[in-house]
Amino acid sequence: MKTYEGRVIKAVASKFFVDVEDGVKVCFARKKLKQDGIIFVGDYVTVQKDRDAFVIDEVSPRKNCLIRPYVSNVDVCFIVIAPEPQPDLLLVDKVIVNCHQQGIKPVLVKNKCDMGHIDASEYSDVLDVVECSAASGEGIEELANMLRGNTVCFAGQSAVGKSSLINALLDSDVLEVGELAKKIRRGKNTTRRTEILSVGNGAYVVDTCGFSMLEAVDIPPEELRLYFDDLEAFRPQCRFNMCTHTSEPDCAVKAHVGKEIGEGRYQRYLTIYGELVERRENKYN
Ligand SMILES: Nc1nc2c(ncn2[C@@H]2O[C@H](COP(=O)(O)OP(=O)(O)O)[C@@H](O)[C@H]2O)c(=O)[nH]1
Ligand SMILES: [Mg+2]
Ligand SMILES: [Zn+2]
C-alpha cells in the first residue's frame, strides 16, 4: 500500500482533491474521519492508495481555521482597499485583530493605484503596506514574492479588486470579475465549492477570507488593546498597567493620539471596544 503526504485543495460533496507529489488525486475519507465529520480545504493529510482508490487516512493538526468557507492553515491575509469603493477602515481594523488572533500575518494591499493614492500612514507601524494595481500590473511582483510558500486569503469590501488581483497573480482569468459575473452566478443557484488555488512556488490563494475574518472579533473588550500594536507600544507609559485607553486617567495612548497614533485608528479602537462591551452585555442579560 502506497502512502502519500499532501494537501486538500478542493472539496466537492464527499470527494476531496489532494495535491500530492505526483499530481492531484481524488480521494475519499476513511470512515473514522467521516465520523469526526471534518476534513477542510487547506488540511495537510496522509493519503493511502487502497487498490484503485485513494483514501484520506489522517489529518495533521491545524495551525488555524477560517469559517464560511472553512479553510485551514492560512499564513497571510491580504487586506485589500482601493480608492473606489471608499475604504472601510473599521473593517480593515477588525480583520487585523482577527488575523492576530488566528496567527495570520496581515498585509494591507492598496489596489487600483492607477486610479489614485490612498493615505495609509496610520498603518505604517501596524503592518506591511503594498501599493499595487491589478490593472496596470504595478506591485504584482511584490505581492507574488510575499506569496512564496504561503497560503494567502484575500479580505476586503466587494469590488476592491480581490478577484482581479488573484487573476493577475495567476496570470489568467480563472476568477470572475465585476458585477456582471456576480449576477450570472446568483442566477445559477450556486452550490459553492471551496477551493484553494495553487499559484506555484508552494503558494496557494483563497478567493475569500471567510466570514470569520470580517465579523467583529469575539474577545473580552479588555483584551482588545493587545491586538493594536501601535497603541500597545505606549501602554507601559500609562498610569495603569491594565489600561484599556478608554476612560482611565493619565493614559499615554490618549496623549499620543494625533501624533504617533492616528486619530482615526484610535476612534476605530473605541468603536470596536464599544461593540465588544455591548456584545458581552447582550450575552449575560
Ligand atoms: N482601475 C482599476 N480597476 C480595477 C483594478 N482591479 C480591479 N478593478 C476593477 O474593479 C472591479 C471589481 O473587481 P473585482 O476583482 O471583481 O473585485 P472583488 O469584488 O474584490 O473581487 C472590476 O470592474 C475590475 O475591473 C485596478 O487595479 N485598477
Ligand atoms: Mg471577487
Ligand atoms: Zn492607556
Side-chain angles (χ1 to χ4, degrees), residues 257-270:
V257 170
K259 298 169 197 152
E260 296 91 335
I261 299 169
E263 173 77 44
R265 265 286 278 180
Y266 180 65
Q267 289 304 327
R268 294 190 298 275
Y269 170 80
L270 293 180

Side-chain angles (χ1 to χ4, degrees), residues 238 243 245 251-252:
C238 295
C243 190
H245 322 307
C251 169

Side-chain angles (χ1 to χ4, degrees), residues 83-101:
E84 181 72 55
Q86 202 185 354
D88 178 351
L89 298 181
L90 184 61
L91 179 74
V92 170
D93 288 348
K94 283 178 184 172
V95 176
I96 294 172
V97 174
N98 280 319
C99 282
H100 284 314
Q101 240 204 333

Side-chain angles (χ1 to χ4, degrees), residues 274-285:
E275 288 179 13
L276 294 175
V277 169
E278 198 173 313
R279 177 191 290 229
R280 181 162 63 189
E281 282 167 359
N282 289 338
K283 229 184 226 172
Y284 297 112
N285 282 344

Side-chain angles (χ1 to χ4, degrees), residues 52-93:
D52 281 338
F54 292 92
V55 182
I56 297 175
D57 191 56
E58 210 180 303
V59 178
S60 300
R62 300 178 183 111
K63 163 178 162 175
N64 52 36
C65 188
L66 310 179
I67 60 165
R68 278 194 256 159
Y70 285 102
V71 178
S72 65
N73 301 312
V74 175
D75 303 303
V76 177
C77 179
F78 285 165
I79 309 170
V80 185
I81 56 173
E84 181 72 55
Q86 202 185 354
D88 178 351
L89 298 181
L90 184 61
L91 179 74
V92 170
D93 288 348

Side-chain angles (χ1 to χ4, degrees), residues 196-269:
I196 55 177
L197 300 162
S198 172
V199 291
N201 290 320
Y204 292 90
V205 296
V206 191
D207 184 13
T208 57
C209 64
F211 179 76
S212 50
M213 292 291 276
L214 303 174
E215 252 299 81
V217 252
D218 194 8
I219 51 171
E222 295 73 26
E223 287 178 16
L224 183 64
R225 59 183 176 82
L226 302 173
Y227 301 98
F228 274 67
D229 292 346
D230 44 343
L231 274 57
E232 193 58 11
F234 293 97
R235 194 191 38 86
Q237 298 165 39
C238 295
R239 190 206 290 190
F240 297 108
N241 189 36
M242 304 287 276
C243 190
T244 63
H245 322 307
T246 54
S247 55
E248 296 88 344
D250 299 328
C251 169
V253 166
K254 266 191 261 179
H256 286 86
V257 170
K259 298 169 197 152
E260 296 91 335
I261 299 169
E263 173 77 44
R265 265 286 278 180
Y266 180 65
Q267 289 304 327
R268 294 190 298 275
Y269 170 80

Side-chain angles (χ1 to χ4, degrees), residues 162-163 176 182 207:
K162 299 178 295 294
S163 300
E176 296 160 344
K182 266 176 211 135
D207 184 13

